[in-house]
Amino acid sequence: MNNLWGGSIAEAARALNSSIGVDSRMWREDITGSMAHAAMLAKQGIISQADGAAIQAGLSGILADIESGKLAIDMTAEDIHTFVEMELTARIGDPGKRLHTARSRNDQVATDLRLYTRGRIDELLGLVRQAVSAIHDKAAKFADAVMPGYTHLQRAQPVTFGHYLCAWAMMLVRDAGRLADARKRLNQCPLGACALAGTTFPIDRDSTASALGFEGPCLNSLDAVSDRDFCVETLGALSLLMAHLSRMAEELVLWSSLEFRFVTLPEGFVTGSSIMPQKKNPDMAELIRGKTGRVYGDLMGMLTVLKGLPLAYNKDMQEDKQALFDGLDTASLCLSVLAPMVEGMTPHRSAMRKAAGAGFINATDCADWLVEHGVPFREAYAVAAGLVHQGKPLEELTLAEYKAACPAFDESVYAAVDLDACVKRRRLPVAEQLAFLETFLKED
Ligand code: ARG
């Protein structure tokens, strides 16, 4: 028998019921949670000091043995909670059977999952920081590299590569804020809610909560065991993070193509073709883009599990972990590839500049010059549009051609349509953004 309630279960039902294949990764959180619970039971006199000590020793032994690889998790156990408790009782006998006093797997799993998610959010925040740092460094180096900015993927107005990259970093800074926000709200301890209605034993919920680094216990026991908002919030933050990564990835795919040639992606992040010798495919960027859908699916799956569930715990909720873990794994994998890929990419100033020099991205500046010389904007716009339609770069038009379009033009228009001057006059706040990012990177 390998379940905790003592009955038997049909083979196919066991396969459906079992969650150890997914939740075994929470072994550390499960053991830590049990240690905090057992310490509290002993402190409150609910179990004897001797039993408490035996449980602590047994659990630390299990922790050490799993860590060292000496103990393999038995995948025929129903879930990780069952495995740890059964292993403990096999090792220390009767005291092990007292561990589950004043606890249920319902508050136990909710606690484990919050602890696990909290740890993964901290890890993800570190990865977001690494990505922001890589983007910051590249932006600082190419702060003044002129490139075309786009709308509708049509060359629109000139910006710099540094300014462009800072836009990426801004997205990630907001993602970090959302993850930190989810972490703040999840940091309450379900332990003591027990199955759904608390317990008659004189437990101390504050002590378990603080031992596990939570802000305090969840106030409502029904809510404590049935709340999976933190899964949804985390997946929501991860979905938006992936949306951002996919947009960056798409630009890397475009920019590294021969058509753009704005960047060369680093060796190790591109693959060759099995048939076309000239190819350097941006597979990693494409996969980041492609995996975004997975995380959206995880979010939808999680929301759908929760829809219409009555209070309190329902077994449907066991499905929370697969979605959450997949979202966490996918996002951290993608971030850990994006950061070194950005760090190692080689931007090509001349290609960017060349693209900025064609496509009339200084047409607005030409119209603005006329406005500054008294021509109403709508008329100025029409004059500039007429010049663009002649098909000759605005820098190369003769003064006679300018004057034919509008007598208000004079020599000083050349300074206005000069690419570097166009960029300078926009006063793109790259230095301020870099300073903002440096502050973000210093915060903990
Ligand atoms: N494996 C279960 C889960 O992940 C643990 C909780 C089981 N609770 C119960 N009442 N059957 O949700």
Side-chain angles (χ1 to χ4, degrees):
M1 184 183 63
N2 55 2
N3 59 54
L4 290 168
W5 72 92
S8 66
I9 187 170
E11 211 35 56
R14 182 189 303 285
L16 182 64
N17 195 45
S18 158
S19 61
I20 195 151
V22 175
D23 63 31
S24 64
R25 61 161 80 189
M26 299 195 302
W27 56 270
R28 189 186 295 282
E29 290 74 17
D30 193 70
I31 294 170
T32 319
S34 286
M35 287 170 106
H37 178 65
M40 181 277 293
L41 291 179
K43 176 177 81 75
Q44 296 297 99
I46 300 168
I47 60 172
S48 70
Q49 293 295 330
D51 284 347
I55 293 173
Q56 296 302 337
L59 287 173
S60 13
I62 296 174
L63 188 73
D65 289 350
I66 299 180
E67 237 164 27
S68 71
K70 215 159 103 191
L71 174 65
I73 294 169
D74 175 5
M75 289 299 175
T76 67
E78 183 188 333
D79 54 26
I80 189 62
H81 327 294
T82 305
F83 169 74
V84 172
E85 192 179 327
M86 287 189 161
E87 178 65 24
L88 179 69
T89 302
R91 290 185 177 204
I92 66 168
D94 280 350
K97 299 183 191 162
R98 298 190 194 275
L99 169 62
H100 213 51
T101 313
R103 188 176 71 172
S104 154
R105 271 190 295 165
N106 297 351
D107 58 343
Q108 186 181 359
V109 71
T111 304
D112 292 3
L113 193 54
R114 282 181 192 238
L115 286 174
Y116 180 83
T117 307
R118 194 177 70 189
R120 292 298 304 271
I121 287 179
D122 289 342
E123 177 198 312
L124 270 156
L125 285 170
L127 290 170
V128 171
R129 242 160 242 283
Q130 281 173 27
V132 170
S133 166
I135 294 169
H136 164 278
D137 293 355
K138 203 57 78 181
K141 256 190 211 129
F142 293 87
D144 59 347
V146 176
M147 74 177 281
Y150 298 82
T151 62
H152 314 268
L153 205 52
Q154 305 278 319
R155 290 178 200 164
Q157 289 173 346
V159 292
T160 70
F161 195 55
H163 188 60
Y164 207 109
L165 288 183
C166 283
W168 286 10
M170 294 302 152
M171 303 178 202
L172 292 178
V173 169
R174 290 195 299 275
D175 291 322
R178 268 181 288 270
L179 284 167
D181 188 47
R183 186 198 196 281
K184 208 178 291 164
R185 226 177 341 271
L186 75 70
N187 205 22
Q188 290 182 330
C189 187
L191 272 185
C194 300
L196 74 161
T199 177
T200 54
F201 289 100
I203 57 171
D204 177 359
R205 296 191 63 201
D206 291 315
S207 77
T208 38
S210 88
L212 295 170
F214 287 110
E215 243 170 47
C218 303
L219 275 181
N220 184 291
S221 63
L222 297 166
D223 185 46
V225 292
S226 61
D227 171 24
R228 294 293 183 273
D229 290 6
F230 64 98
C231 304
V232 175
E233 286 190 43
T234 303
L235 284 169
L238 294 180
S239 293
L240 202 41
L241 165 70
M242 288 302 299
H244 296 150
L245 296 187
S246 77
R247 296 179 77 170
M248 299 170 199
E250 165 67 6
E251 292 190 321
L252 290 177
V253 170
L254 283 173
W255 291 348
S256 63
S257 72
L258 255 190
E259 279 66 18
F260 278 78
R261 260 184 183 279
F262 286 0
V263 302
T264 301
L265 294 176
E267 208 59 48
F269 294 86
V270 288
T271 61
S273 158
S274 56
I275 169 171
M276 297 164 281
Q278 83 284 13
K279 289 284 282 284
K280 271 196 177 171
N281 297 325
D283 293 36
M284 306 315 140
E286 293 169 276
L287 281 166
I288 291 173
R289 194 175 60 186
K291 281 184 188 287
T292 303
R294 281 258 300 280
V295 180
Y296 292 179
D298 295 329
L299 173 63
M300 270 308 129
M302 186 66 235
L303 281 168
T304 309
V305 163
L306 294 178
K307 180 183 179 296
L309 284 186
L311 295 180
Y313 178 84
N314 302 271
K315 195 63 177 249
D316 313 46
M317 286 156 61
Q318 179 164 281
E319 290 301 309
D320 54 6
K321 287 166 224 62
Q322 195 144 23
L324 180 61
F325 294 171
D326 184 68
L328 288 166
D329 292 348
T330 306
S332 53
L333 186 61
C334 291
L335 272 173
S336 60
V337 166
L338 181 93
M341 189 155 67
V342 168
E343 195 185 323
M345 78 182 178
T346 312
H348 302 301
R349 288 175 184 269
S350 57
M352 291 182 198
R353 201 189 161 82
K354 201 169 151 210
F360 300 97
I361 66 177
N362 48 2
T364 315
D365 300 84
C366 176
D368 286 350
W369 185 95
L370 286 171
V371 169
E372 281 157 24
H373 291 78
V375 181
F377 180 76
R378 267 302 142 230
E379 277 173 37
Y381 173 95
V383 171
L387 290 172
V388 165
H389 285 135
Q390 295 182 14
K392 203 163 148 192
L394 300 184
E395 300 89 316
E396 291 169 22
L397 289 171
T398 63
L399 191 57
E401 285 168 324
Y402 269 117
K403 282 197 180 290
C406 178
F409 277 122
D410 65 39
E411 276 290 338
S412 69
V413 70
Y414 291 105
V417 297
D418 173 75
L419 198 52
D420 292 302
C422 289
V423 176
K424 210 164 273 154
R425 270 203 313 275
R426 294 190 179 278
R427 296 183 304 275
L428 301 172
V430 182
E432 288 88 330
Q433 294 174 83
L434 293 174
F436 167 79
L437 296 174
E438 283 149 29
T439 310
F440 167 79
L441 288 168
K442 266 187 233 133
E443 285 164 7
D444 44 26

